[in-house]
Amino acid sequence: MLILVGLGNPGAKYASNRHNIGFMAADVIHTRHRFPAWRKNFQAEVSEGTIDGERVLLMKPQTYMNESGRSVGDAVRFLKLAPSDVVVIHDELDLPPGKLRMKVGGGHGGHNGLRSITSQITDGYRRMRLGIGHPGDKALVHAHVLSDFAKADRDWLVRLLDAIADNAGELVKGADSTFANRVHAITEPKPERKPKPEAAADKPAPGGEPAPEKPPEKNAMAAILKGLLSQKTRR
């Protein structure tokens, strides 16, 4: 069994925060792979399902970020798993927004969620680091991670979360490099091409018929995130 842990803080107040990108990734994986409803266990919201035939326990610790290790430690000890059977999905200040890197072991880099998990299960777990960018001043970090994603972030965020869910099969097989490369290929911005004059959106299609309407967005999660990121959280 593999444990996929999305890190974040529980409650509507934090739902759209940059610090909660791990929760968001877990939610998209949950929806895309048709996991059963979330339930309470191990001081977390959990759901057990399969991805490409492999058993996976999705977790969203409800202990708040700084105590995430209590939840993860409970699950690892109960299920008798090794740290290498755990993938932690978390926000990463040292990566540009939308970038993903996989890593095994190493320090916590000042991330309190990782610090807590390491204290419980050692540092031998796998990390999925999701870039949220750095505000440029250490004094601004706290406010940056606990502020909401902007509407302008929505496009790259949806692409990233969709790519993670679509390629989760590589993740559960332990093919971290292949997983990261596939996500990168999907999320890397493509050069813009100027449309040909005859391809203009308002030009009728051959035969005098109006041009077909733009197809709907890829999946419901894009619409959900659109609503989530367009709302202003009440403080």
Side-chain angles (χ1 to χ4, degrees):
M1 171 179 276
L2 179 73
I3 300 180
L4 281 179
V5 185
L7 295 189
N9 288 308
K13 177 181 178 180
Y14 303 103
S16 303
N17 286 182
R18 292 179 176 89
H19 221 19
N20 271 42
I21 194 171
F23 272 14
M24 296 176 189
D27 283 333
V28 178
I29 293 170
H30 179 272
T31 299
R32 183 68 51 80
H33 293 277
R34 301 181 184 276
F35 275 53
W38 294 101
R39 59 187 175 85
K40 300 288 188 181
N41 201 3
F42 307 124
Q43 304 179 72
E45 289 189 354
V46 302
S47 180
E48 184 177 337
T50 60
I51 298 177
D52 283 10
E54 298 289 335
R55 290 174 62 210
V56 174
L57 180 70
L58 279 176
M59 293 185 66
K60 296 190 295 182
Q62 301 295 292
T63 53
Y64 288 93
M65 181 70 79
N66 293 1
E67 298 293 335
S68 300
R70 293 196 285 114
S71 173
V72 177
D74 283 353
V76 168
R77 287 186 289 271
F78 181 83
L79 296 170
K80 296 181 173 57
L81 298 175
S84 57
D85 297 319
V86 177
V87 177
V88 176
I89 311 171
H90 66 92
D91 58 304
E92 178 57 70
L93 287 163
D94 293 333
L95 290 176
K99 295 295 184 182
L100 177 150
R101 296 288 185 273
M102 296 297 298
K103 180 180 179 181
V104 179
H108 53 71
H111 194 292
N112 289 330
L114 300 183
R115 179 187 283 112
S116 177
I117 293 170
T118 296
S119 73
Q120 293 285 329
I121 66 169
T122 78
D123 68 351
Y125 53 93
R126 297 154 61 194
R127 299 107 185 268
M128 187 193 301
R129 306 161 63 210
L130 305 182
I132 61 168
H134 197 287
D137 185 336
K138 188 176 180 180
L140 300 176
V141 165
H142 182 76
H144 179 68
V145 300
L146 292 180
S147 62
D148 291 352
F149 281 109
K151 289 182 181 180
D153 295 319
R154 178 186 169 271
D155 286 344
W156 70 256
L157 183 58
V158 170
R159 284 199 308 272
L160 175 64
L161 298 181
D162 277 342
I164 290 168
D166 286 343
N167 293 282
E170 299 300 327
L171 194 66
V172 301
K173 290 187 293 188
D176 288 0
S177 294
T178 300
F179 168 76
N181 288 338
R182 289 186 177 181
V183 171
H184 175 78
I186 294 168
T187 57
E188 185 69 12
K190 305 296 188 297
E192 292 187 6
R193 294 182 178 178
K194 292 183 179 181
K196 296 180 181 179
E198 63 270 18
D202 55 351
K203 184 172 182 178
E209 296 297 327
E213 294 183 1
K214 182 181 177 181
E217 292 183 285
K218 182 177 178 181
N219 58 59
M221 281 311 302
I224 292 171
L225 282 169
K226 182 177 181 180
L228 180 67
L229 300 179
S230 66
Q231 296 174 359
K232 292 295 183 182
T233 306
R234 293 183 180 179
R235 303 297 182 190

